[in-house]
Amino acid sequence: MSDTPFGFGLPPEEPEDGDGKKKDPAGGGQGAGGQGGPGNPFGNFGFGLPGGAGGADNPFAAMFGSLNPSDLGAAFQQLGQMLSYEGGPVNWDMAKQIARQTVAQGTPDGTKDSSVGPSERAAVDEAVRLADLWLDGVTSLPSGASTSVAWSRAEWVEATLPAWQQLVDPVAERVGTAMGEVLPEEMQSVAGPLIGMMRSMGGAMFGQQIGQAVGVLAGEVVGSTDIGLPLGPAGKAALLPLNIEAFSKDLGVPKDEIRLYLALREAAHQRLFAHVPWLRSHMFGAVEGYARGIKVDTTKLEDVVGQFDPTHPEELQEALQQGMFQPEDTPEQKAALARLETALALVEGWVDAVVHEAARTRLTGADALRETLRRRRASGGPAEQTFATLIGLQLRPRRLRDAARLWASLTDARGADGRDRLWEHPDMLPTASDLDDPDGFVHHEQLDFSELDRMLGAAADGSDTPDGPDARPNLKKDDGDDKDDTDK
């Protein structure tokens, strides 16, 4: 998969027809005689000349499929709805529909989605319950899962779309704004319909791409936190039994152990995001910061708009598909991505460390499963690649391993309570440079925020503080002995 951020590059591969066969690229090419060529201005919108279903780069074929003459009226009506779309920067109705259709097609190995049965739900409930019990002994953070759920792939799509919307909309909004800014100012007052159509097309294209990506991802993920972010509803520890079955093949580890190990990871993520209230907004805010720093290269778009022929809308569509929106590496983007990359590494490293501590003496396959999941992330698994395509982020595997090593060192030096107290404030967490020198971070001086919090609380209550109004938080050196660090 390309490193190009979501919505900026070529679209994903054309989905299959309902009969399981790929669309014939020879019958829908972009050449003069193809469905998407200049002789057919509607080829790229899913309803080509009779006998075809659009070009191989057709972004709407997943929605329209192969049409016969009786479907043509409905297709025109649906196209009109797309171009009249006046919602946000992404057509999420389209995204949802395409994601569900992609799920319905099944995965490349021929596995079709299916409803989760009672026995599978019971197995997930038991695995999450046991996982939470084991985690109680290795972390001071209490359980964050009020319920456990077993999802089908379609249910995963439904449950995670709100989070995808929060991730994608900031980037898509910036691109949509750029599409309306490329016209000269003197033309903008008379080009309202054109600008509106371009934005509607942009929203449809984003919807198509995110829909396909989420649909493909639904066939791979095993829970709601595979990319290190909470994609599902708060308090729900979710596993996908069908995907766990596929993940378990050829591992040589009992499936019950695999389910339990994955439940440990899901439950650990839930604890962290439930009891570190600033963490979610911190990470999603980094995505928004990245979007604010986007500088869209509109040279190609200006050329296309200047020569735009309404009778050949496929020219604009082709230009959009050729990656005209290549964001620059601005300092703002680099800073936002650095914050997000470090935060993701710290989250994944903490989960890796506490899950290993909970499982290593209880599951015979714990070490093998730990390494398998690490390699899955390191090799650019589907979840990580989708996220990289979405915002241009590559979570470096070295950072994940370094973060896990740092959290393990903190556990040895300060115990689980001392380690987990670092999540109380973002300024207390290790930085990217600390991941390079974990031993230095474990023993360096750091601010004790407990006194400052006590002072602020006392001031809010109107009470006096024994240290006076000029009291400052203590700067104390951690000597590796946690016995003097009292709980708040």
Side-chain angles (χ1 to χ4, degrees):
M1 189 176 291
S2 168
D3 292 339
T4 306
F6 236 166
F8 301 115
L10 296 175
E13 183 181 356
E14 182 76 359
E16 296 177 348
D17 281 325
D19 59 2
K21 297 179 181 179
K22 294 285 186 181
K23 290 181 174 61
D24 181 9
Q30 298 296 327
Q35 298 291 333
N40 176 19
F42 302 113
N44 279 336
F45 293 100
F47 37 89
L49 295 173
D57 291 330
N58 177 0
F60 300 116
M63 176 168 287
F64 289 143
S66 297
L67 296 179
N68 55 50
S70 63
D71 297 323
L72 195 57
F76 272 106
Q77 183 180 7
Q78 196 160 12
L79 176 62
Q81 293 172 351
M82 292 178 190
L83 295 182
S84 63
Y85 171 71
E86 297 180 352
V90 178
N91 189 330
W92 286 103
D93 290 337
M94 175 186 288
K96 179 178 177 179
Q97 185 171 350
I98 291 179
R100 293 198 61 124
Q101 289 178 349
T102 303
V103 165
Q105 291 174 0
T107 50
D109 63 1
T111 304
K112 298 289 187 179
D113 193 21
S114 60
S115 300
V116 180
S119 61
E120 293 172 318
R121 295 187 186 279
V124 168
D125 288 342
E126 177 60 20
V128 172
R129 185 196 64 78
L130 188 55
D132 258 337
L133 182 62
W134 289 3
L135 288 172
D136 283 341
V138 296
T139 174
S140 62
L141 299 180
S143 174
S146 57
T147 59
S148 59
V149 291
W151 283 338
S152 66
R153 293 166 180 171
E155 288 173 325
W156 183 90
V157 168
E158 294 278 354
T160 62
L161 273 179
W164 288 112
Q165 183 171 356
Q166 188 175 356
L167 286 168
V168 177
D169 272 352
V171 178
E173 178 67 40
R174 184 66 189 90
V175 174
T177 300
M179 294 179 73
E181 293 175 347
V182 296
L183 289 175
E185 185 174 351
E186 61 273 13
M187 292 180 59
Q188 291 188 15
S189 60
V190 296
L194 176 60
I195 295 174
M197 185 185 73
M198 291 171 62
R199 288 182 173 172
S200 296
M201 290 177 65
M205 189 177 74
F206 268 105
Q208 183 266 344
Q209 289 189 332
I210 187 63
Q212 282 195 344
V214 170
V216 171
L217 189 58
E220 302 285 350
V221 294
V222 295
S224 70
T225 55
D226 285 38
I227 66 172
L229 285 173
L231 295 179
K236 286 190 176 181
L239 295 177
L240 282 72
L242 182 61
N243 292 353
I244 292 176
E245 182 74 28
F247 174 78
S248 303
K249 291 180 179 178
D250 303 324
L251 288 183
V253 178
K255 190 171 71 172
D256 288 347
E257 286 200 12
I258 294 174
R259 184 193 302 112
L260 184 50
Y261 192 88
L262 296 175
L264 281 165
R265 290 183 54 83
E266 178 75 8
H269 277 103
Q270 293 293 336
R271 289 183 181 228
L272 199 55
F273 283 101
H275 299 291
V276 182
W278 55 265
L279 184 56
R280 179 186 174 97
S281 60
H282 174 76
M283 300 178 80
F284 281 76
V287 178
E288 296 177 4
Y290 170 79
R292 286 194 299 270
I294 284 180
K295 304 296 182 184
V296 181
D297 180 5
T298 58
T299 302
K300 292 182 182 178
L301 185 59
E302 289 175 351
D303 292 340
V304 172
V305 171
Q307 305 173 16
F308 181 68
D309 182 354
T311 64
H312 294 287
E314 80 281 354
E315 294 177 2
L316 178 59
Q317 182 66 24
E318 289 171 6
L320 293 174
Q321 293 171 353
Q322 291 171 4
M324 65 170 60
F325 299 118
Q326 298 292 341
E328 300 174 359
D329 288 331
T330 65
E332 294 84 358
Q333 285 175 293
K334 290 180 179 180
L337 288 178
R339 288 193 301 272
L340 182 56
E341 186 176 63
T342 300
L344 281 169
L346 291 174
V347 168
E348 290 294 283
W350 183 87
V351 168
D352 180 277
V354 299
V355 167
H356 180 68
E357 183 65 21
R360 62 187 178 88
T361 60
R362 295 182 173 102
L363 300 178
T364 58
D367 290 337
L369 290 171
R370 184 190 201 190
E371 189 60 29
T372 295
L373 287 167
R374 281 182 166 186
R375 290 182 179 181
R376 191 185 192 212
R377 298 299 298 273
S379 62
E384 188 174 325
Q385 286 189 9
T386 297
F387 197 57
T389 305
L390 176 62
I391 63 167
L393 170 72
Q394 290 285 352
L395 178 60
R396 292 170 291 173
R398 183 177 64 85
R399 299 288 82 183
L400 168 60
R401 291 180 182 269
D402 289 346
R405 189 178 304 114
L406 184 145
W407 289 119
S409 297
L410 284 168
T411 306
D412 293 340
R414 307 183 185 182
D417 289 352
R419 175 200 66 204
D420 294 344
R421 274 203 294 272
L422 292 178
W423 290 106
E424 292 177 356
H425 194 282
D427 290 343
M428 297 175 68
L429 286 178
T431 64
S433 60
D434 292 325
L435 296 180
D436 294 324
D437 182 22
D439 291 336
F441 177 82
V442 169
H443 300 292
H444 79 353
E445 293 181 347
Q446 63 183 48
L447 285 171
D448 175 17
F449 283 84
S450 59
E451 182 67 15
L452 178 60
D453 288 343
R454 186 186 65 79
M455 291 165 51
L456 292 175
D461 294 337
S463 59
D464 295 331
T465 60
D467 297 324
D470 297 326
R472 299 170 61 87
N474 294 327
L475 184 68
K476 63 181 181 181
K477 185 177 182 63
D478 184 63
D479 58 3
D481 186 356
D482 197 46
K483 62 179 181 295
D484 293 331
D485 296 339
T486 57
D487 294 331
K488 296 183 182 60

